[in-house]
Amino acid sequence: MSVYKIIIRNSPGWHSFAACTLGVSVTSPNWQAEHFASILDFAAAHFKTIRIDVTDLLYRHNFLAQGLPPEEAAAQANHLGALWLERHKALIDACPVKTSVIRWGEWLDHPDYGAALEQFERAHD
């Protein structure tokens, strides 16, 4: 049992779902060690399946802003994700419900990505 308390705000129907997605920001303290363990424990107590969405490659934009070339920025971001997964593997493996891990690059490589992006861009315009 964890020492951190999880509070759900303004989502009255969340408990009616069998699955959840945890959007992990690999550099945020909220998704490290005991904090992540608390979130994972809470999710396991309330859902049958948990998708852990590691938003590592999204962080490449921070490295680009620091002046890294695109390939190096992507490599650094993926490395952050790999390190996060390595540090949290035991927690994920010990989770009593079904978990799956997806990394940001997998979303970018998804066959429906282009169409989904186009819909968001149209909605934005």
PDB file of all heavy atoms in Angstrom, residues 83-99:
ATOM      1  N   LEU A  83      14.772   4.358 -19.995  1.00  0.00           N
ATOM      2  CA  LEU A  83      15.200   4.424 -18.590  1.00  0.00           C
ATOM      3  C   LEU A  83      14.002   4.360 -17.650  1.00  0.00           C
ATOM      4  O   LEU A  83      14.033   3.663 -16.631  1.00  0.00           O
ATOM      5  CB  LEU A  83      15.996   5.708 -18.329  1.00  0.00           C
ATOM      6  CG  LEU A  83      17.376   5.789 -18.960  1.00  0.00           C
ATOM      7  CD1 LEU A  83      17.978   7.176 -18.737  1.00  0.00           C
ATOM      8  CD2 LEU A  83      18.287   4.705 -18.400  1.00  0.00           C
ATOM      9  N   TRP A  84      12.932   5.086 -17.986  1.00  0.00           N
ATOM     10  CA  TRP A  84      11.741   5.071 -17.137  1.00  0.00           C
ATOM     11  C   TRP A  84      11.171   3.658 -17.066  1.00  0.00           C
ATOM     12  O   TRP A  84      10.840   3.169 -15.980  1.00  0.00           O
ATOM     13  CB  TRP A  84      10.685   6.059 -17.671  1.00  0.00           C
ATOM     14  CG  TRP A  84       9.534   6.182 -16.728  1.00  0.00           C
ATOM     15  CD1 TRP A  84       9.408   7.090 -15.720  1.00  0.00           C
ATOM     16  CD2 TRP A  84       8.382   5.339 -16.665  1.00  0.00           C
ATOM     17  NE1 TRP A  84       8.232   6.864 -15.038  1.00  0.00           N
ATOM     18  CE2 TRP A  84       7.577   5.788 -15.606  1.00  0.00           C
ATOM     19  CE3 TRP A  84       7.948   4.252 -17.411  1.00  0.00           C
ATOM     20  CZ2 TRP A  84       6.376   5.188 -15.271  1.00  0.00           C
ATOM     21  CZ3 TRP A  84       6.742   3.650 -17.076  1.00  0.00           C
ATOM     22  CH2 TRP A  84       5.965   4.120 -16.007  1.00  0.00           C
ATOM     23  N   LEU A  85      11.063   3.006 -18.215  1.00  0.00           N
ATOM     24  CA  LEU A  85      10.534   1.638 -18.237  1.00  0.00           C
ATOM     25  C   LEU A  85      11.409   0.681 -17.439  1.00  0.00           C
ATOM     26  O   LEU A  85      10.900  -0.185 -16.717  1.00  0.00           O
ATOM     27  CB  LEU A  85      10.375   1.155 -19.672  1.00  0.00           C
ATOM     28  CG  LEU A  85       9.170   1.731 -20.409  1.00  0.00           C
ATOM     29  CD1 LEU A  85       9.281   1.474 -21.903  1.00  0.00           C
ATOM     30  CD2 LEU A  85       7.879   1.151 -19.847  1.00  0.00           C
ATOM     31  N   GLU A  86      12.707   0.835 -17.556  1.00  0.00           N
ATOM     32  CA  GLU A  86      13.629  -0.019 -16.798  1.00  0.00           C
ATOM     33  C   GLU A  86      13.432   0.170 -15.299  1.00  0.00           C
ATOM     34  O   GLU A  86      13.381  -0.802 -14.541  1.00  0.00           O
ATOM     35  CB  GLU A  86      15.072   0.320 -17.197  1.00  0.00           C
ATOM     36  CG  GLU A  86      16.119  -0.529 -16.527  1.00  0.00           C
ATOM     37  CD  GLU A  86      17.525  -0.114 -16.972  1.00  0.00           C
ATOM     38  OE1 GLU A  86      17.750  -0.015 -18.195  1.00  0.00           O
ATOM     39  OE2 GLU A  86      18.363   0.119 -16.094  1.00  0.00           O
ATOM     40  N   ARG A  87      13.294   1.422 -14.850  1.00  0.00           N
ATOM     41  CA  ARG A  87      13.127   1.710 -13.418  1.00  0.00           C
ATOM     42  C   ARG A  87      11.786   1.212 -12.882  1.00  0.00           C
ATOM     43  O   ARG A  87      11.672   0.918 -11.694  1.00  0.00           O
ATOM     44  CB  ARG A  87      13.246   3.214 -13.155  1.00  0.00           C
ATOM     45  CG  ARG A  87      14.637   3.761 -13.229  1.00  0.00           C
ATOM     46  CD  ARG A  87      14.727   5.176 -12.661  1.00  0.00           C
ATOM     47  NE  ARG A  87      13.745   6.090 -13.201  1.00  0.00           N
ATOM     48  CZ  ARG A  87      13.915   6.852 -14.285  1.00  0.00           C
ATOM     49  NH1 ARG A  87      15.053   6.802 -14.956  1.00  0.00           N
ATOM     50  NH2 ARG A  87      12.949   7.656 -14.686  1.00  0.00           N
ATOM     51  N   HIS A  88      10.776   1.128 -13.729  1.00  0.00           N
ATOM     52  CA  HIS A  88       9.431   0.795 -13.271  1.00  0.00           C
ATOM     53  C   HIS A  88       8.947  -0.587 -13.713  1.00  0.00           C
ATOM     54  O   HIS A  88       7.805  -0.963 -13.446  1.00  0.00           O
ATOM     55  CB  HIS A  88       8.457   1.892 -13.717  1.00  0.00           C
ATOM     56  CG  HIS A  88       8.784   3.218 -13.106  1.00  0.00           C
ATOM     57  ND1 HIS A  88       9.647   4.109 -13.691  1.00  0.00           N
ATOM     58  CD2 HIS A  88       8.406   3.759 -11.925  1.00  0.00           C
ATOM     59  CE1 HIS A  88       9.770   5.161 -12.906  1.00  0.00           C
ATOM     60  NE2 HIS A  88       9.038   4.976 -11.833  1.00  0.00           N
ATOM     61  N   LYS A  89       9.828  -1.343 -14.343  1.00  0.00           N
ATOM     62  CA  LYS A  89       9.466  -2.669 -14.855  1.00  0.00           C
ATOM     63  C   LYS A  89       8.927  -3.584 -13.756  1.00  0.00           C
ATOM     64  O   LYS A  89       7.912  -4.253 -13.947  1.00  0.00           O
ATOM     65  CB  LYS A  89      10.666  -3.315 -15.546  1.00  0.00           C
ATOM     66  CG  LYS A  89      10.358  -4.684 -16.153  1.00  0.00           C
ATOM     67  CD  LYS A  89      11.572  -5.266 -16.821  1.00  0.00           C
ATOM     68  CE  LYS A  89      11.357  -6.590 -17.494  1.00  0.00           C
ATOM     69  NZ  LYS A  89      10.210  -7.389 -17.174  1.00  0.00           N
ATOM     70  N   ALA A  90       9.580  -3.614 -12.627  1.00  0.00           N
ATOM     71  CA  ALA A  90       9.139  -4.503 -11.544  1.00  0.00           C
ATOM     72  C   ALA A  90       7.730  -4.143 -11.069  1.00  0.00           C
ATOM     73  O   ALA A  90       6.914  -5.035 -10.805  1.00  0.00           O
ATOM     74  CB  ALA A  90      10.127  -4.452 -10.384  1.00  0.00           C
ATOM     75  N   LEU A  91       7.424  -2.866 -10.968  1.00  0.00           N
ATOM     76  CA  LEU A  91       6.083  -2.443 -10.556  1.00  0.00           C
ATOM     77  C   LEU A  91       5.043  -2.879 -11.587  1.00  0.00           C
ATOM     78  O   LEU A  91       3.974  -3.379 -11.231  1.00  0.00           O
ATOM     79  CB  LEU A  91       6.022  -0.924 -10.389  1.00  0.00           C
ATOM     80  CG  LEU A  91       6.750  -0.329  -9.194  1.00  0.00           C
ATOM     81  CD1 LEU A  91       6.777   1.191  -9.299  1.00  0.00           C
ATOM     82  CD2 LEU A  91       6.084  -0.762  -7.903  1.00  0.00           C
ATOM     83  N   ILE A  92       5.366  -2.667 -12.856  1.00  0.00           N
ATOM     84  CA  ILE A  92       4.434  -3.032 -13.925  1.00  0.00           C
ATOM     85  C   ILE A  92       4.231  -4.546 -13.956  1.00  0.00           C
ATOM     86  O   ILE A  92       3.103  -5.035 -14.037  1.00  0.00           O
ATOM     87  CB  ILE A  92       4.936  -2.498 -15.278  1.00  0.00           C
ATOM     88  CG1 ILE A  92       4.942  -0.957 -15.267  1.00  0.00           C
ATOM     89  CG2 ILE A  92       4.091  -3.040 -16.424  1.00  0.00           C
ATOM     90  CD1 ILE A  92       5.694  -0.331 -16.420  1.00  0.00           C
ATOM     91  N   ASP A  93       5.325  -5.289 -13.859  1.00  0.00           N
ATOM     92  CA  ASP A  93       5.238  -6.751 -13.890  1.00  0.00           C
ATOM     93  C   ASP A  93       4.452  -7.311 -12.706  1.00  0.00           C
ATOM     94  O   ASP A  93       3.811  -8.350 -12.822  1.00  0.00           O
ATOM     95  CB  ASP A  93       6.631  -7.376 -13.925  1.00  0.00           C
ATOM     96  CG  ASP A  93       7.340  -7.172 -15.257  1.00  0.00           C
ATOM     97  OD1 ASP A  93       6.672  -6.762 -16.238  1.00  0.00           O
ATOM     98  OD2 ASP A  93       8.561  -7.414 -15.309  1.00  0.00           O
ATOM     99  N   ALA A  94       4.509  -6.636 -11.569  1.00  0.00           N
ATOM    100  CA  ALA A  94       3.823  -7.120 -10.364  1.00  0.00           C
ATOM    101  C   ALA A  94       2.357  -6.691 -10.309  1.00  0.00           C
ATOM    102  O   ALA A  94       1.632  -7.130  -9.409  1.00  0.00           O
ATOM    103  CB  ALA A  94       4.556  -6.608  -9.119  1.00  0.00           C
ATOM    104  N   CYS A  95       1.924  -5.891 -11.235  1.00  0.00           N
ATOM    105  CA  CYS A  95       0.539  -5.410 -11.222  1.00  0.00           C
ATOM    106  C   CYS A  95      -0.413  -6.606 -11.326  1.00  0.00           C
ATOM    107  O   CYS A  95      -0.256  -7.460 -12.191  1.00  0.00           O
ATOM    108  CB  CYS A  95       0.318  -4.435 -12.372  1.00  0.00           C
ATOM    109  SG  CYS A  95      -1.304  -3.644 -12.319  1.00  0.00           S
ATOM    110  N   PRO A  96      -1.425  -6.659 -10.466  1.00  0.00           N
ATOM    111  CA  PRO A  96      -2.313  -7.828 -10.448  1.00  0.00           C
ATOM    112  C   PRO A  96      -3.339  -7.876 -11.582  1.00  0.00           C
ATOM    113  O   PRO A  96      -4.037  -8.879 -11.732  1.00  0.00           O
ATOM    114  CB  PRO A  96      -3.020  -7.705  -9.093  1.00  0.00           C
ATOM    115  CG  PRO A  96      -2.990  -6.243  -8.784  1.00  0.00           C
ATOM    116  CD  PRO A  96      -1.707  -5.738  -9.381  1.00  0.00           C
ATOM    117  N   VAL A  97      -3.450  -6.823 -12.381  1.00  0.00           N
ATOM    118  CA  VAL A  97      -4.366  -6.843 -13.524  1.00  0.00           C
ATOM    119  C   VAL A  97      -3.561  -6.740 -14.809  1.00  0.00           C
ATOM    120  O   VAL A  97      -2.365  -6.440 -14.790  1.00  0.00           O
ATOM    121  CB  VAL A  97      -5.422  -5.711 -13.446  1.00  0.00           C
ATOM    122  CG1 VAL A  97      -6.255  -5.827 -12.177  1.00  0.00           C
ATOM    123  CG2 VAL A  97      -4.793  -4.346 -13.555  1.00  0.00           C
ATOM    124  N   LYS A  98      -4.232  -6.996 -15.922  1.00  0.00           N
ATOM    125  CA  LYS A  98      -3.557  -6.968 -17.222  1.00  0.00           C
ATOM    126  C   LYS A  98      -3.061  -5.555 -17.537  1.00  0.00           C
ATOM    127  O   LYS A  98      -3.823  -4.596 -17.464  1.00  0.00           O
ATOM    128  CB  LYS A  98      -4.522  -7.435 -18.312  1.00  0.00           C
ATOM    129  CG  LYS A  98      -3.903  -7.462 -19.681  1.00  0.00           C
ATOM    130  CD  LYS A  98      -4.898  -7.864 -20.737  1.00  0.00           C
ATOM    131  CE  LYS A  98      -4.206  -7.793 -22.087  1.00  0.00           C
ATOM    132  NZ  LYS A  98      -5.142  -7.711 -23.167  1.00  0.00           N
ATOM    133  N   THR A  99      -1.793  -5.463 -17.886  1.00  0.00           N
ATOM    134  CA  THR A  99      -1.222  -4.180 -18.295  1.00  0.00           C
ATOM    135  C   THR A  99      -0.646  -4.311 -19.701  1.00  0.00           C
ATOM    136  O   THR A  99      -0.248  -5.395 -20.130  1.00  0.00           O
ATOM    137  CB  THR A  99      -0.086  -3.722 -17.356  1.00  0.00           C
ATOM    138  OG1 THR A  99       0.943  -4.706 -17.364  1.00  0.00           O
ATOM    139  CG2 THR A  99      -0.578  -3.485 -15.937  1.00  0.00           C
TER     140      THR A  99
END
